[in-house]
Amino acid sequence: MAKPAHQPSVLAAALLAWYPRHHRDLPWRHTRDPYAIWLSEVILQQTRVAQGLPYYEAFLAAYPTVQALAGAPEQEVLRLWQGLGYYSRARNMHHTAQQVVQEHGGQFPTTYAGLLKLRGVGPYTAAAIASFAFDEAVAVLDGNVYRVLARIFGLHADIAAPASRKEFQALADQHIPAAAPADFNQAIMEFGALQCTPARPDCLFCPMQHSCWAFQHGQVALLPVKSKAKAARVRYLHYLVLRHGEATYLKKRGEKDIWQGLYDFAVVETTGLELGAAEVLRHVEALGGQLDTRLAAEPRPPALLKHVLSHQKLEARFHTLWLAGPLPARTLADTGLHAYTAAEIEALPKPQLIANYLGKN
């Protein structure tokens, strides 16, 4: 149960007084355009502000309106997103833009309930757009808000448990002032990002120090409660970087695995990090390829790169292999591999792991 240390209006008043003096000057805070606000929220999901800001500016420059984004090729959108990770965000964003144009005449719904009906728009994003663009009094609930509420009110519910959301949402909605919903939502998120941080929060100069349950009970470091996620599994990938002349072979990744719609090389997944030369040759021959023995006389050691995803750790070796001739047409049809020039590869949307390899080679 919550342990409120003060009346609801006190929390709102403290945050609204703190915010003008301490908030960061960010471009999406200077607009009421629901498209720009939505774009910023999608980009900032699971992305730090410093990393997301250049992408926000690049997307607005490339697609200044929802109509422009809806009309863009998906591959172009994914290429612009490259480096942000969680590429399903970009695909959902593109589909949502098309939904807004096709079903809503290019105008975003103006209510929280209406926004929730858009593809890829969940409770947090809907609340952000509804409050920031349309002044609807519905509270946002992100990691920062969970932390602030848990500490101030002494909530020990596991924030990773779906059942806890209802309790925290009800509390946040109880405190949001009808006269200033946008400012309150911005303030509580910014307070969590700058003052009530996960590690080393600035409790000494906190305006709510005397009414914070966690501070008064010495439990700041223990709240919020969040159960640990499952340990990430390790995957070992051996990329066959097949080259012939000025071209390199890549393929578009399909569904039901990471990096859907992005491009990488032919890949062999193994249970360990090593893949012997004979096995590499066998896989090349299975693709109908023949190594150019003149260039394979002194093979380069395979490059090793590591990459961490939310639930996976990737260890990838890149085997650069020169072919005596192009891959047969049947192989291209069966595998989706295609020969690309360096300029064409640059324009393709690629996982950051592949982009990192290409940047070093």
Side-chain angles (χ1 to χ4, degrees), residues 121-197:
V121 174
Y124 165 76
T125 304
I129 301 171
S131 61
F132 301 155
F134 306 116
D135 280 328
E136 185 174 353
V138 55
V140 295
L141 196 60
D142 70 351
N144 288 317
V145 178
Y146 272 117
R147 185 168 56 258
V148 171
L149 295 177
R151 286 174 175 171
I152 290 178
F153 295 101
L155 299 178
H156 287 77
D158 181 1
I159 65 171
S164 300
R165 179 178 182 86
K166 185 176 181 180
E167 179 181 0
F168 279 88
Q169 186 70 59
L171 182 60
D173 286 336
Q174 177 185 350
H175 286 265
I176 189 169
D183 289 343
F184 175 85
N185 279 337
Q186 293 281 18
I188 194 168
M189 288 192 293
E190 193 77 335
F191 189 79
L194 302 181
Q195 184 95 26
C196 194
T197 53

Side-chain angles (χ1 to χ4, degrees), residues 8 65 79 132 214 256 258 312 328 355:
T65 65
R79 179 61 182 87
F132 301 155
K256 299 180 180 179
I258 56 175
Q312 299 181 27

Side-chain angles (χ1 to χ4, degrees), residues 3-12 152-153 175 208 210-212:
K3 306 175 182 63
H6 46 61
Q7 294 299 313
S9 59
V10 175
L11 172 63
I152 290 178
F153 295 101
H175 286 265
M208 287 176 278
H210 298 294
S211 55
C212 175

